[in-house]
Amino acid sequence: MTRILVVDDEPALVRTLSINLRARDYEVEHAFDGRSALQVITEDAPDVVVLDLGLPDVDGVEVIRQVRRFSKIPIIVLSARHESDDKVEALDVGADDYVTKPFGMAELLARVRVAVRRHAPTDAHPPSVATADFTLDFGERRATRDGTAVRLTPTEWSLLEALAARPGHLVSQAELLHAVWGPGYAKEAHYLRVYAAQLRRKLEPEPSRPRYLLTEPGQGYRLRLPE
């Protein structure tokens, strides 16, 4: 059974989420502050974390940052912060998805399903990639740039895998959104822009003049690799 940790300091919201998740056969744990959440994640290793950013002790962004030091567990942020900078910061430090309050329960449940599906074990990986600037080992999910380890989030890996499966070829926005986030995200092209920018900052020698991760305006993306 898939185990989900709900981290929020609003008991009524935690109760509502727990009821809805359990009704769909998820096992639910909860924490009302960041320190308790980190303890549960460290000791019990849930399958998915649904995390509020405005916690009473440790800010949610710091929780994500600490979790990413030892775990690739999918993290869905659930927050009342609507500013773009807050979303980008949470995604930059390692969140997989971001849902703003108030939210529709159906949407959140769909995003949980996508997170579970995307992180399910699989034996099928694209071949490893080696360029003059970075290397990608998809089987081990290890990346280096100029010989130094680079931490990529699970969502960034999923996007790279979708592109590396067809190196040099255009992969449409619709195909990427479906492969990485699921069928309900066909209109969320801004997700691709955010994650492509993150990957360029981490991997490209000149992010403003990308050499490998190329945008085809209005169409999609391609991963150009050495012959």
Side-chain angles (χ1 to χ4, degrees):
M1 181 180 291
T2 299
R3 293 184 300 118
I4 299 176
L5 172 64
V6 177
V7 187
D8 200 296
D9 62 344
E10 299 180 41
L13 178 59
V14 171
R15 184 166 54 253
T16 299
L17 286 173
S18 298
I19 291 170
N20 280 274
L21 289 167
R22 288 177 178 137
R24 290 156 179 84
D25 295 325
Y26 294 109
E27 182 180 332
V28 182
E29 299 177 79
H30 61 262
F32 296 104
D33 57 65
R35 291 187 180 89
S36 300
L38 287 168
Q39 182 176 353
V40 173
I41 295 168
T42 302
E43 296 178 357
D44 296 337
D47 298 299
V48 179
V49 176
V50 177
L51 174 71
D52 183 28
L53 295 185
L55 299 173
D57 54 352
V58 182
D59 186 77
V61 170
E62 180 59 27
V63 172
I64 299 169
R65 186 178 288 111
Q66 292 191 35
V67 170
R68 285 293 174 252
R69 293 173 182 168
F70 63 87
S71 174
K72 298 178 180 177
I73 182 174
I75 299 174
I76 301 172
V77 169
L78 187 61
S79 178
R81 301 179 188 176
H82 292 252
E83 295 298 323
S84 178
D85 288 348
D86 292 320
K87 296 180 182 180
V88 170
E89 182 181 20
L91 294 169
D92 268 346
V93 298
D96 294 84
D97 207 342
Y98 196 109
V99 180
T100 54
K101 299 178 182 178
F103 60 92
M105 188 60 66
E107 177 190 6
L108 178 62
L109 292 170
R111 296 192 187 213
V112 168
R113 290 193 297 272
V114 169
V116 171
R117 183 170 63 248
R118 190 166 64 229
H119 293 269
T122 177
D123 296 326
H125 298 287
S128 296
V129 166
T131 74
D133 299 288
F134 61 85
T135 64
L136 302 172
D137 182 336
F138 290 101
E140 297 295 328
R141 288 203 163 185
R142 291 176 182 166
T144 64
R145 178 179 170 184
D146 298 327
T148 301
V150 176
R151 186 191 59 76
L152 302 181
T153 70
T155 302
E156 289 168 347
W157 277 113
S158 295
L159 180 56
L160 284 171
E161 286 177 348
L163 291 166
R166 294 160 60 186
H169 293 278
L170 173 68
V171 185
S172 72
Q173 293 180 356
E175 289 176 283
L176 290 171
L177 289 166
H178 187 280
V180 180
W181 285 277
Y185 292 77
K187 297 181 180 179
E188 307 293 341
H190 63 284
Y191 278 33
L192 295 173
R193 291 193 293 272
V194 169
Y195 279 93
Q198 291 176 188
L199 285 168
R200 286 170 180 145
R201 287 196 299 270
K202 293 179 179 182
L203 299 176
E204 293 274 3
E206 295 183 71
S208 62
R209 300 174 62 187
R211 183 182 304 173
Y212 303 100
L213 181 51
L214 308 180
T215 302
E216 301 292 343
Q219 300 181 67
Y221 295 80
R222 71 176 80 234
L223 185 63
R224 185 170 66 188
L225 298 176
E227 295 295 334

